[in-house]
Amino acid sequence: MRASVLAVALILFGPATAQQATDAIAPEGAGAGELRVPPMLAAAQEAKAAGRPVEAETWMIAAAHPLAVEAGAKVLATGGTAADAMVAVQAVLGLVEPQSSGLGGGAFLVWHDGASGEITTLDGRETAPLAATPRLFQDEAGQPLEFFDAVVGGRSVGTPGIPALLAEAHARWGRAAWAGLFADAIRLADDGFPVSPRLATLIAEDAGRLSRFADTRDYFLPAGIPLKAGEIRRNPDYADTLRLLARKGGAAFYTGDMALDIAERVQRAGGNPGVLAPLDLAIYRVRERPAVCMLYRGYEVCGMGPPSSGATTVGQSLGLLEPFDLAALGPDSPEAWRLIGDASRLAFADRGRYLADSDYVPVPVKGLLAPDYLRSRSDLLRGDDMLPEVAPGNPAFDHALNLADDRALELPSTSQISIVDGYGNALSMTTTIENGFGSRLMVHGFLLNNQLTDFSFASHDNGRPIANRVEPGKRPRSSMAPTILRRDGRPVLVLGSPGGSRIIGYVVKTIIAWVDWGMDAQAAVALPHLVNRFGPYDLEIGAGALAGPLRAMGYEVDETELTSGLNVIALGVRLQGGADPRREGLVYGQ
Ligand code: DON
């Protein structure tokens, strides 16, 4: 670190000794079972609790855990870019929120470049091993396995993309020294971090599966007892892994002992081994993909194309709604939610048939977002009641396609990182190990993903292939939708969320709340979710007043918890941020 930068850091944050680190995460008044928040983030936490957005002048950062926000904020305050800060955030998240994302997982990253004005999307998604076949998740009779029989163990583990993505983003857009970006995470791993209430709850709920593997059990349930909120957990193996990356770069993850140990862990997972091999790690590459952008009420909505369905399905949903005056209807109107719900169903029907890794299956992204096609599909929404039936459409495409539909299962974890830096760059990244605690396999202090279960377990239906079937080297279809809205070429809204295939509904709702209903960043995030993917309407507790009218329109309504983890930054005269009240994240800026 340059001397001047170090001086600024010391003024802002003081010298980081181990004792001070422990003090900093235990402010007065925080009980053992409460989320501990560093003093610099106290105002951010107060704002979130009061439902107020956070405001700032120069830079802003939002992530799913206060210690990750603090690490990223230090990087931004000392002249780092959004890419630098993201590396520090991801390194800390892999420690303090290990159930959601980490070095053993994958991510998609959307970048608006302040200098060139260009949008770039990077695909750090896991790949299927070269030895995987379309029957990976089928039994001997060709029947799909039960979801958790597939998830827990080695079979579901794809080649991790995060270490390569961190290195790629830093090489393209970083300014700070690479090694220093791991300092906070290494210190917290060596000295220990307080287990958050959310992590403690999820460990207790998943104790049975976590206990299937001795090293995972010993980490999360020492002596057989689940870690409690507030308990200090050290992770020296993770600190060593980060030191290796800090010293040798991201490539060190994919070769040598690390690659051998990962492959061995997967292949020797008792009861459910996988086929990941050192060669799969050696050939892993981050892919730059064309950004998928779509106009909605004058805003350019940009995000991640295949293998994610995120931007295409968000874009289709918004495109189908464009002809309707949602602003006049407002957020309390059942008619608005009929339109949003059925637009989403139409988009999901196309998603199930057409979306997959475009390196393996031709995907008609352009046809799916073409104005003529969307207009014809949008006309279907002109009735008064729920659409009784929804089928995929026939977008224009220069390939003959005869695919069957797919509905892969997805369950809670995942994390959203949103950052705007002082150089005009904006970053939105959604990062995941897929299911909570991924495959439950741990190696060198981090969990391995179960991302391969995002493939369709069935490979064919009545002799027709399913686009999202398993194939060697292929990337499983995702719903992750890291998104940047722009107006006149400038970023105006940065957002994304966890939530499996509900991510698409969370992101669409938040965009509509901000664009059509004029809500501030925090209100747009907090607005109760109503999500419709396949017909039944999921209503978040709090949106109950809409249940009766939606039932009367023909929907089956399910009132439930909808745990998104939205992080939103709006760029106007000032920066304004919102962090999801449903999770532990915060937004902070200066
Ligand atoms: O890539 C995907 O779409 C999923 N693997 C993400 C999983 C997820 O968001 C779970 N969420 N709560």
Side-chain angles (χ1 to χ4, degrees):
M1 201 188 273
R2 279 166 292 149
S4 57
V5 169
L6 183 60
V8 175
L10 288 175
I11 292 164
L12 282 167
F13 306 107
T17 62
Q19 182 53 46
Q20 197 182 31
T22 318
D23 293 346
I25 51 185
E28 252 177 86
E34 291 171 35
L35 179 67
R36 305 207 204 168
V37 172
M40 76 183 262
L41 299 180
Q45 197 192 26
E46 263 174 49
K48 178 176 155 181
R52 283 195 318 269
V54 167
E55 302 225 326
E57 303 295 331
T58 314
W59 53 259
M60 188 163 268
I61 179 162
H65 192 288
L67 292 173
V69 175
E70 183 189 39
K74 286 183 186 177
V75 172
L76 293 167
T78 50
T81 66
D84 295 323
M86 177 278 288
V87 175
V89 168
Q90 180 66 78
V92 173
L93 284 179
L95 178 72
V96 300
E97 204 204 24
Q99 73 275 17
S100 293
S101 76
L103 297 177
F108 296 114
L109 188 160
V110 183
W111 177 267
H112 167 93
D113 195 81
S116 68
E118 275 176 26
I119 281 261
T120 305
T121 62
L122 294 182
D123 165 358
R125 184 74 162 166
E126 296 86 340
T127 52
L130 293 176
T133 75
R135 300 193 54 170
L136 183 69
F137 295 120
Q138 297 169 15
D139 64 18
E140 280 169 14
Q143 291 306 307
L145 297 178
E146 291 296 323
F147 183 67
F148 279 109
D149 290 348
V151 166
V152 180
R155 190 190 296 255
S156 63
V157 181
T159 316
I162 291 292
L165 182 65
L166 302 187
E168 182 73 30
H170 181 261
R172 287 177 183 238
W173 304 303
R175 283 180 179 234
W178 165 258
L181 300 174
F182 297 93
D184 266 30
I186 291 173
R187 175 176 50 76
L188 287 164
D190 276 335
D191 297 347
F193 68 94
V195 171
S196 79
R198 180 174 161 78
L199 174 55
T201 302
L202 294 176
I203 292 171
E205 284 176 6
D206 201 55
R209 294 191 191 104
L210 291 169
S211 300
R212 289 256 307 263
F213 307 102
D215 39 5
T216 313
R217 182 195 58 217
D218 293 347
Y219 183 75
F220 290 108
L221 299 96
I225 299 169
L227 289 171
K228 290 189 197 54
E231 198 169 329
I232 300 297
R233 189 70 180 100
R234 297 177 64 243
N235 189 343
D237 290 347
Y238 186 64
D240 286 344
T241 299
L242 293 179
R243 275 190 271 269
L244 173 78
L245 294 185
R247 224 177 32 247
K248 298 203 165 159
F253 186 90
Y254 294 90
T255 52
D257 287 347
M258 181 61 77
L260 291 174
D261 291 348
I262 292 172
E264 183 175 300
R265 190 77 202 83
V266 168
Q267 292 182 18
R268 295 235 176 124
N272 194 22
V275 292
L276 189 76
L279 178 62
D280 294 304
L281 285 123
I283 62 172
Y284 184 83
R285 295 288 177 274
V286 169
R287 298 259 180 257
E288 180 176 336
R289 309 275 183 191
V292 169
C293 295
M294 161 83 197
L295 269 186
Y296 180 64
R297 309 210 197 281
Y299 294 96
E300 197 190 358
V301 181
C302 290
M304 194 70 221
S308 187
S309 60
T312 311
T313 308
V314 166
Q316 275 203 309
S317 304
L318 294 173
L320 293 166
L321 291 165
E322 177 96 39
F324 300 96
D325 193 351
L326 294 180
L329 290 170
D332 299 327
S333 147
E335 172 64 1
W337 291 105
R338 179 188 71 79
L339 291 165
I340 295 168
D342 275 355
S344 167
R345 287 173 66 205
L346 288 166
F348 265 83
D350 282 348
R351 170 185 176 275
R353 175 150 311 170
Y354 297 113
L355 266 295
D357 182 350
S358 50
D359 285 348
Y360 284 71
V361 182
V363 181
V365 173
K366 234 174 125 189
L368 289 167
L369 293 174
D372 284 358
Y373 176 67
L374 289 174
R375 206 166 308 118
S376 68
R377 298 280 280 170
S378 185
D379 284 344
L380 298 172
L381 299 174
R382 293 201 179 273
D384 295 321
D385 289 329
M386 165 186 166
L387 283 176
E389 286 205 11
V390 164
N394 291 302
F397 198 39
D398 54 7
H399 285 73
L401 287 179
N402 185 18
L403 297 168
D405 299 340
D406 156 46
R407 272 189 209 174
L409 260 167
E410 292 144 355
L411 295 170
S413 77
T414 308
S415 225
Q416 169 64 24
I417 304 170
S418 302
I419 309 178
V420 171
D421 67 22
Y423 306 99
N425 304 308
L427 172 151
S428 178
M429 171 165 145
T430 315
T431 173
T432 187
I433 58 170
E434 214 304 285
N435 196 237
F437 303 99
S439 64
R440 279 70 174 178
L441 292 179
M442 232 178 154
V443 59
H444 288 287
F446 59 88
L447 285 160
L448 293 169
N449 68 82
N450 67 299
Q451 212 66 244
L452 301 185
T453 58
D454 271 4
F455 283 117
S456 169
F457 286 20
S459 49
H460 291 73
D461 185 16
N462 276 328
R464 284 186 303 157
I466 292 170
N468 186 34
R469 65 191 177 280
V470 184
E471 296 183 77
K474 190 176 177 182
R475 300 177 186 217
R477 184 191 65 201
S478 174
S479 306
M480 293 195 288
T483 305
I484 298 182
L485 264 65
R486 310 198 300 174
R487 186 132 207 173
D488 304 324
R490 290 167 183 273
V492 294
L493 197 70
V494 179
L495 76 161
S497 179
S501 56
R502 292 194 180 96
I503 290 172
I504 288 160
Y506 299 152
V507 167
V508 166
K509 176 216 82 171
T510 308
I511 292 173
I512 290 171
W514 189 79
V515 169
D516 293 278
W517 297 331
M519 295 187 181
D520 67 41
Q522 187 63 38
V525 169
L527 182 70
H529 297 307
L530 291 90
V531 180
N532 197 329
R533 298 162 296 169
F534 310 118
Y537 226 132
D538 296 330
L539 261 61
E540 189 172 17
I541 321 277
L546 289 159
L550 288 171
R551 281 199 183 99
M553 289 171 173
Y555 294 100
E556 178 191 330
V557 171
D558 186 16
E559 290 184 63
T560 180
E561 274 185 32
L562 292 173
T563 313
S564 54
L566 285 151
N567 285 318
V568 177
I569 302 175
L571 298 88
V573 180
R574 308 183 76 202
L575 299 170
Q576 187 190 70
D580 203 319
R582 302 162 187 86
R583 283 190 38 175
E584 293 174 336
L586 289 177
V587 54
Y588 176 78
Q590 281 184 3

